[in-house]
Amino acid sequence: MEIVGVISLLAGIIQLVILIIIIVKFLLLVKDVNEIKEKMTIPSCDFKTEFYKWYSCGNVERAKEVLVNEIGKSYEFEQLVAGGNPKYMDDMKEQLKKKYQTEIALSGIELNLNCLTK
């Protein structure tokens, strides 16, 4: 009878440990998803403020520099640099151009993203 009690206690402890591990893994997953969401959001307000500040003052070169720095930090650009299958890479190029289309047009820069996929 004592053995049954000890076995039940051990089973309960094992279940508790497994539950704690599952909770920790879930919290890590939530953290990772939030990081991915942050990388895939629209350009930050800080970027737009900085870009349009320089552009409105007539300092287009400084505005271009701000734009290029922001593009370099984007999720899509990181994926292009990392490489992948051609269809995915084309999708990343289009998303990147769409994300910054207004600022690219205003600054007059031309993105040569094809060099990243070779």
Side-chain angles (χ1 to χ4, degrees), residues 23-82:
I23 290 171
V24 169
K25 289 291 188 179
F26 177 75
L27 293 174
L28 290 173
L29 178 66
V30 169
K31 180 182 146 277
D32 291 343
V33 168
N34 285 335
E35 287 177 7
I36 292 170
K37 278 185 181 178
E38 287 175 16
K39 288 183 176 183
M40 295 184 71
T41 57
I42 58 173
S44 68
C45 292
D46 293 338
F47 154 69
K48 287 195 177 270
T49 302
E50 188 76 6
F51 177 84
Y52 287 105
K53 173 181 76 175
W54 292 113
Y55 184 79
S56 66
C57 293
N59 193 340
V60 179
E61 291 305 312
R62 181 71 175 117
K64 285 180 184 180
E65 184 179 325
V66 171
L67 175 59
V68 169
N69 287 337
E70 183 70 13
I71 288 172
K73 293 186 290 186
S74 71
Y75 172 79
E76 295 85 0
F77 189 80
E78 288 177 2
Q79 294 302 303
L80 285 168
V81 171

Side-chain angles (χ1 to χ4, degrees), residues 3 8-9 12 20-21 25 34 38 40 47 52-54 60 62 65 69 72 80 89 91-92 95 99 101 104 106 109:
I3 295 177
S8 295
L9 180 62
I20 291 171
I21 291 171
K25 289 291 188 179
N34 285 335
E38 287 175 16
M40 295 184 71
F47 154 69
Y52 287 105
K53 173 181 76 175
W54 292 113
V60 179
R62 181 71 175 117
E65 184 179 325
N69 287 337
L80 285 168
M89 302 311 284
D91 289 345
M92 287 294 107
Q95 287 180 26
K99 188 175 185 179
Q101 68 184 1
I104 290 171
L106 288 172
I109 67 169

Side-chain angles (χ1 to χ4, degrees), residues 90-103:
D90 289 341
D91 289 345
M92 287 294 107
K93 287 179 201 175
E94 290 307 312
Q95 287 180 26
L96 186 67
K97 288 177 183 177
K98 183 178 180 184
K99 188 175 185 179
Y100 299 104
Q101 68 184 1
T102 304
E103 291 80 10

Side-chain angles (χ1 to χ4, degrees), residues 80 89-90 93 113-118:
L80 285 168
M89 302 311 284
D90 289 341
K93 287 179 201 175
L113 300 173
N114 292 330
C115 67
L116 298 173
T117 57
K118 291 183 180 180

